[in-house]
Amino acid sequence: MKRAFCGAVLAVAAMAAPASAQQLTDDTVKLGVLTDMSSLYSDINGPGAVIAVQMAIEDFGGSLNGKKIEMIQADVQNKADVAATIAGRWFDTEKVDVILGAGASSSSIATSRVAADKKKIYIAPDPASSDITGKLCNAYTVHWVYDTFALANGTGSAVVKAGGDSWFFLTADYAFGYALQRDVANVVTKAGGKVLGEVRHPINTNDFSSFLLQAQASKAKVIGLANAGGDTINSIKQASEFGIVKGGQKLAGLLVFVSDVHSLGLERAQGLNLTEAFYWDLNDKTRAFSKRFAAKHGGKMPTSVQAGFYSGALQYLNAVKAAGTDNSDAVMAKLKEIKWDDPVFGLSYIRADGRKMHDMYLFEVKKPSESKGPWDYYKLVTKMSAEEAFRPLDQGECPMIKK
């Protein structure tokens, strides 16, 4: 926390290394994009993540002092065993220097473990579980965009303050859902609210009727949706069909992306509070990046996760250049050395536990009458500093952090 702030120009200058010092394995820097290319999270990351990394490589200059920069990709299928197998093969036989992505929290945790075992860098824009920089932290993983603690601090806290003091959770039945429910429930109970119950659903569920009926029967003021992507979209659509909101209960989408709002439409999504690290229309820099991205991705604006792939890939390449090598320990030291003005997230730095720190934002989804055109979906409620949004360093049980 005592490190001085370096602007973008100073950061690049400080990270510069002479061309003669470059020592690259196989004379190549190789980035692996391992994410959900075909399932319920593919609109959040997927093909857009690949485009974002390609953009980062292009913006970096396409090569590193004449040395090649390559990218490969694979579909993680949101399965831990698939993630571990691909990560191991990439690191061992395909000479991948860094993996970005890894889909669901469970498959991301598996990738993080492989990265630690192989002493290779893993940058995680996809997952949400705050355990990645908590009890499961390691020296080779950086959690890049958001986490369940920040989501709870943002959306959960805002809903409680607005009078939502009794909750029932509709939770995805895997690591991400458990972590999100836990972190939001802590916020609710600390604020004097009550958790009346929970129901867990399998990932990629099509029929939410039985789960929604249990939530409706609980009489909780708030039904917290501790799920994401297609599961969030389907649960909100089906809740509308059941008349849950009309009956007086409020839905809290605890992890909602701009792609979800686009799929739902403003008529269904209006009024939702959501916490994000990025929004395409936030400032001149985000607009410039997003319009370039949309031109390459069928007019679709980037999600915060896709922006994270761009940011993570670009800063990784800057760190390799600064270190003069693609050796993981040297590159990670450079990544954690400075603060920088990130082109999509603003002032950023990486903590000792691997948490990338930047501002977070609480948004409200606009009414149809408030939107001025396609993708004009959010209005800003408040900005949270990184230190306000993310879990304090000494509270995460990260074994790398001394008490």
Side-chain angles (χ1 to χ4, degrees):
M1 295 299 292
K2 295 181 180 179
R3 293 170 294 182
F5 167 68
C6 296
V9 175
L10 290 176
V12 171
M15 294 180 76
S20 61
Q22 297 296 329
Q23 298 293 324
L24 304 180
T25 309
D26 300 329
D27 283 339
T28 302
V29 179
K30 198 167 187 179
L31 290 73
V33 177
L34 180 60
T35 192
D36 182 356
M37 299 298 292
S38 60
S39 189
L40 77 166
Y41 300 145
S42 60
D43 282 344
I44 296 167
N45 39 47
V50 174
I51 289 170
V53 173
Q54 289 171 333
M55 287 176 64
I57 294 170
E58 291 167 6
D59 288 354
F60 184 76
S63 65
L64 184 57
N65 294 310
K67 308 295 186 181
K68 292 190 298 183
I69 299 173
E70 295 182 356
M71 184 197 72
I72 61 173
Q73 66 186 69
D75 188 349
V76 75
Q77 301 176 46
N78 300 311
K79 295 178 179 178
D81 58 340
V82 172
T85 299
I86 294 174
R89 184 179 75 245
W90 277 4
F91 286 142
D92 286 342
T93 65
E94 299 192 37
K95 307 303 180 185
V96 169
D97 296 298
V98 60
I99 291 176
L100 298 100
S105 288
S106 51
S107 46
S108 297
I109 289 167
T111 304
S112 178
R113 287 171 174 156
V114 174
D117 182 56
K118 306 294 184 183
K119 300 188 186 312
K120 292 288 189 177
I121 292 176
Y122 167 47
I123 291 174
D126 286 355
S129 174
S130 60
D131 290 340
I132 289 170
T133 54
K135 61 185 179 181
L136 303 178
C137 76
N138 65 63
Y140 297 92
T141 295
V142 183
H143 203 174
W144 205 264
V145 180
Y146 66 103
D147 63 27
T148 53
F149 190 96
L151 297 174
N153 256 359
T155 309
S157 180
V159 172
V160 174
K161 287 177 182 176
D165 57 4
S166 62
W167 287 62
F168 185 96
F169 285 97
L170 190 66
T171 301
D173 193 10
Y174 74 103
F176 149 67
Y178 311 152
L180 184 53
Q181 178 182 326
R182 176 198 66 206
D183 289 344
V184 175
N186 285 340
V187 168
V188 171
T189 54
K190 284 180 181 178
K194 295 181 179 179
V195 175
L196 302 184
E198 66 171 77
V199 63
R200 294 178 175 179
H201 67 81
I203 188 173
N204 213 3
T205 295
N206 291 319
D207 184 2
F208 281 88
S209 56
S210 64
F211 308 120
L212 288 168
L213 285 171
Q214 292 179 63
Q216 193 173 38
S218 74
K219 306 297 184 182
K221 292 181 182 178
V222 180
I223 300 171
L225 305 178
N227 52 22
D231 285 336
T232 299
I233 292 167
N234 286 335
S235 52
I236 291 174
K237 284 181 177 179
Q238 291 174 39
S240 176
E241 294 167 6
F242 276 88
I244 285 177
V245 175
K246 288 182 180 178
Q249 290 173 296
K250 182 179 177 66
L251 296 178
L254 300 173
L255 180 54
V256 178
F257 295 93
V258 72
S259 54
D260 302 329
V261 174
H262 187 73
S263 295
L264 286 164
L266 293 181
E267 191 64 41
R268 281 198 184 101
Q270 61 181 307
L272 275 177
N273 286 128
L274 54 97
T275 302
E276 285 266 44
F278 166 92
Y279 175 49
W280 75 268
D281 200 20
L282 194 61
N283 55 50
D284 288 343
K285 286 185 177 181
T286 59
R287 282 187 286 272
F289 162 73
S290 299
K291 288 175 181 177
R292 289 171 52 219
F293 176 93
K296 296 174 180 287
H297 195 39
K300 297 178 182 178
M301 289 298 176
T303 64
S304 58
V305 168
Q306 289 160 345
F309 276 88
Y310 173 82
S311 165
L314 186 60
Q315 192 62 11
Y316 173 79
L317 292 171
N318 282 331
V320 172
K321 182 177 181 179
T325 177
D326 54 10
N327 173 272
S328 295
D329 292 305
V331 174
M332 185 60 79
K334 285 296 179 185
L335 282 169
K336 292 183 176 180
E337 189 174 283
I338 65 163
K339 294 185 179 181
W340 74 96
D341 190 4
D342 193 281
V344 292
F345 296 116
L347 177 60
S348 300
Y349 65 94
I350 298 170
R351 281 194 325 203
D353 61 350
R355 173 68 259 167
K356 180 182 181 289
M357 302 290 283
H358 47 243
D359 293 337
M360 296 289 290
Y361 304 88
L362 180 66
F363 295 105
E364 183 178 309
V365 177
K366 291 181 175 181
K367 299 174 183 177
S369 60
E370 295 173 317
S371 177
K372 296 177 182 178
W375 298 95
D376 179 24
Y377 296 152
Y378 295 173
K379 51 187 177 184
L380 180 63
V381 176
T382 189
K383 181 172 81 170
M384 297 174 284
S385 71
E387 291 71 28
E388 291 173 319
F390 292 103
R391 179 179 55 211
L393 182 61
D394 62 353
Q395 293 180 17
E397 299 181 34
C398 172
M400 297 191 298
I401 305 304
K402 293 180 180 180
K403 295 293 185 182

